[in-house]
Structures are given as structure tokens and as C-alpha cells.
Amino acid sequence: MSRLTALSVIAILSVGLAACDSARETLGLNKRAPDEFAVVPRAPLVLPPNYDLRPPEPGAPRPQEATPAQAARQALTGTAPSAAPVANGIDPLDQAVLARTGGDRADPSIRATIAQENTQLAEASESFVDDLLFWQEREEPGTVIDAGAEQRRLQTNQAVGRPIDTGETPIIERKRRGLLEGIF
């Protein structure tokens, strides 16, 4: 009877565990769909007109497939990609678009200008956030020495003939602020 009870408990626990998403994922039972934005359609297979071509190499890119940039250019212009001469690494179509939009007259130091402006904005927003978070006045770091008492201590040590560092240095104690002090 105990063996049957143990088996039934194991069966119930395994059914309950299979219902958990994390357990299903760990066991590899979940279906993983492909990313629909990463799928690129392949060009149709076409029989080449020249039968003297060498067979394709495994892993080499397919020559009849256009890159996504070429496919976008073809969709925008409505023409097939051309083997036009490229000047300065920019093809004539891109040069025409840059000329029409004024991109060929762009400031070469624009990245440095933007970085400087972003730095200024970040510093301004940082001080604003600091003002919000730390709205009370900050205490100055370090200890404050009572100048009058220190002078008297040094004069007394000199008059008696003791070393200068003899005795305790007088310190001004700062008043601790109350919990609600400064709010109202």
C-alpha cells in the first residue's frame, strides 16, 4: 500500500510540476517560435544560364540574394541595384540624397558639440536631483579647531616649556540638528 501511495504522490507531483512554466522551460517542453523580425526571405532558386559555373562553396553567401540595405534601396527607388562607380565610399544615390537633405554640408565636429551639450545637461540635472534629494544644508567635512583656545594652549605650553603638541587640541563641537529641524 505504501508503494502505491508513493507512486501516486510522485505522479501527482510530476503532473503539477509539468504545469509550471519554469519547469517546462528547464525540461525543454516549451515551444520556441522564431523571431519574425529576424527572418529574411530567400531569393527563389533559379537555374543559371551558364552551366560552366563552379559549384558553390559551403558557407559562402548566395550571390542572387540582396543584402537588406540593397533590398531597401530597391524598394525606395524602384530599380534594381546597379554596379555604379562609388566615389569616396558613397554611391551616387546616397550622394544625391545627402545633397538634397544638406547632409554633405554637415559640421564635422558635431559629435564633440553634442557630447559637450549632453555633459552640461547631465551636470545640470545632477545638481537638480541633488537639490531634491539633499535639500538640507550639508555639514562641512572635518573638525573645526577653536582658534582662541588653541592660541592660549600654545602660549601656555611655550611659557611652561612643554612641547607644542602637549595637551588636547580644542575643537568646536557642532550642534546636532533635530529630526524635524529645517523642514519648517
Side-chain angles (χ1 to χ4, degrees):
M1 188 66 145
S2 65
R3 189 175 218 185
L4 181 61
T5 305
L7 287 175
S8 63
V9 168
I10 290 173
I12 290 172
L13 288 177
S14 63
V15 168
L17 188 60
C20 295
D21 281 341
S22 61
R24 290 177 60 91
E25 188 172 332
T26 303
L27 297 174
L29 300 176
N30 282 349
K31 180 180 176 184
R32 290 191 180 180
D35 184 11
E36 64 270 10
F37 296 106
V39 175
V40 179
R42 291 190 175 267
L45 296 176
V46 178
L47 187 62
N50 185 356
Y51 296 108
D52 295 331
L53 294 174
R54 289 179 274 146
E57 296 178 21
R62 296 170 55 153
Q64 67 267 30
E65 281 189 8
T67 64
Q70 291 171 339
R73 182 175 287 115
Q74 184 177 0
L76 288 172
T77 61
T79 60
S82 63
V86 176
N88 297 334
I90 304 173
D91 66 4
L93 178 64
D94 289 340
Q95 288 177 353
V97 170
L98 286 173
R100 292 285 305 253
T101 60
D104 57 346
R105 297 180 304 275
D107 182 13
S109 64
I110 189 66
R111 291 184 190 269
T113 304
I114 291 173
Q116 180 184 10
E117 289 174 357
N118 285 342
T119 303
Q120 291 171 350
L121 286 174
E123 288 172 356
S125 69
E126 186 175 296
S127 66
F128 175 71
V129 170
D130 285 347
D131 289 344
L132 285 178
L133 292 177
F134 308 110
W135 48 272
Q136 294 181 341
E137 293 181 20
R138 296 182 186 163
E139 292 183 4
E140 294 296 323
T143 56
V144 180
I145 298 175
D146 186 0
E150 177 68 4
Q151 182 180 8
R152 285 190 298 276
R153 182 185 72 85
L154 291 174
Q155 288 173 351
T156 304
N157 284 346
Q158 185 178 17
V160 177
R162 285 185 274 179
I164 294 176
D165 58 352
T166 304
E168 193 169 322
T169 305
I171 298 173
I172 297 176
E173 295 290 331
R174 291 192 176 120
K175 177 185 164 192
R176 288 193 59 140
R177 295 181 71 168
L179 181 62
L180 298 177
E181 188 176 344
I183 293 178
F184 301 106

